[in-house]
Amino acid sequence: MLRFLLSAALLLGTASATAGELANAPEQVHPILLGSRLPQVPLRTLDGQPTTLKEQVAGKPAILVFYRGGWCPYCNLQLSRLRLIQKDVEALGYRILAISPDRPEELRKTLGKDKLGYTLLSDSPANAMKAFGIGYRVDAKRLAQYQGYGIDLKASTGEAQPVLPVPSVFIVDGHGELQFSYSHPDYRVRIPASVVLAAAKAIARQEQDEHP
């Protein structure tokens, strides 16, 4: 089985969190391994309706994009650039699902700004971030820094102690198996959309070779 790894997560020391836990800093996250099964976690739709990752993937190959929120300009740029490959990956049978800790009401603001054509999902309780091993707690010092920039994470997430994801992209095949993973603790570093497309094509090609 073809598997890809483009991981720039700098896991420092021995304090790294394991998948299923929250880290205390971006550098301490521990994303799930390639070959892992798709975690089954609850999420919410734009309308605030409960759903699950399994329902959203619907047995199809999928590109899962974890971003910090609609307030993050680096995230908005990444989401916008994903539109450039959307038709190509959909032609290969993939769905694009973008997941953030934003409340559903905040997701609508992001959708309105960029007129995205793919699905945005809310993970404000951090269920998916925990399951994928990419979530970290935002401590009081970081919260104060964000507030100084005019960003109210408690309001955007609706949580007393907000959790943010290390920006990540995962690709799962039609069998729900993780085939590609990219995470970077520096929120300014994002994987190019062209690389995501190349990985999706290679995975689809390998899948076709193995299951003609």
Side-chain angles (χ1 to χ4, degrees):
M1 179 72 68
L2 179 62
R3 293 173 183 161
F4 291 84
L5 177 61
L6 279 176
S7 179
L10 308 178
L11 306 179
L12 306 178
T14 59
S16 298
T18 58
E21 298 179 353
L22 291 174
N24 293 317
E27 297 80 8
Q28 296 174 0
V29 302
H30 190 73
I32 60 174
L33 299 175
L34 298 184
S36 298
R37 300 295 299 175
L38 181 71
Q40 299 309 318
V41 290
L43 297 165
R44 286 186 294 169
T45 67
L46 282 168
D47 298 322
Q49 297 300 310
T51 185
T52 66
L53 187 56
K54 181 179 180 180
E55 289 174 350
Q56 293 296 319
V57 170
K60 296 181 179 180
I63 298 171
L64 312 177
V65 182
F66 284 85
Y67 68 102
R68 303 195 305 158
W71 49 267
C72 172
Y74 295 93
C75 298
N76 289 328
L77 180 59
Q78 180 185 29
L79 295 178
S80 180
R81 287 176 173 171
L82 283 172
R83 291 183 301 177
L84 301 178
I85 66 168
Q86 184 178 351
K87 289 184 179 179
D88 291 325
V89 297
E90 289 178 348
L92 295 169
Y94 288 91
R95 296 197 67 191
I96 298 178
L97 304 176
I99 303 168
S100 84
D102 278 350
R103 296 179 295 118
E105 296 86 348
E106 297 298 315
L107 293 182
R108 287 192 170 278
K109 295 179 183 178
T110 301
L111 192 68
K113 280 188 294 187
D114 292 316
K115 297 182 179 178
L116 304 174
Y118 48 84
T119 301
L120 302 185
L121 296 165
S122 171
D123 182 39
S124 51
N127 294 305
M129 287 181 277
K130 287 179 184 177
F132 280 87
I134 57 171
Y136 65 94
R137 301 177 185 88
V138 182
D139 59 26
K141 181 179 179 180
R142 290 177 188 268
L143 278 176
Q145 289 176 336
Y146 282 120
Q147 287 175 343
Y149 300 139
I151 300 167
D152 189 342
L153 290 182
K154 290 185 179 180
S156 65
T157 65
E159 299 292 323
Q161 184 176 22
V163 172
L164 290 179
V166 166
S168 304
V169 174
F170 299 95
I171 300 180
V172 295
D173 61 22
H175 306 287
E177 186 172 313
L178 182 62
Q179 297 292 340
F180 177 96
S181 171
Y182 179 94
S183 299
H184 202 297
D186 185 340
Y187 62 84
R188 297 167 296 182
V189 180
R190 304 300 171 99
I191 184 171
S194 59
V195 176
V196 176
L197 176 58
K201 286 181 176 179
I203 293 168
R205 190 182 312 117
Q206 183 67 32
E207 181 74 6
Q208 179 61 34
D209 290 342
E210 294 181 356
H211 305 282

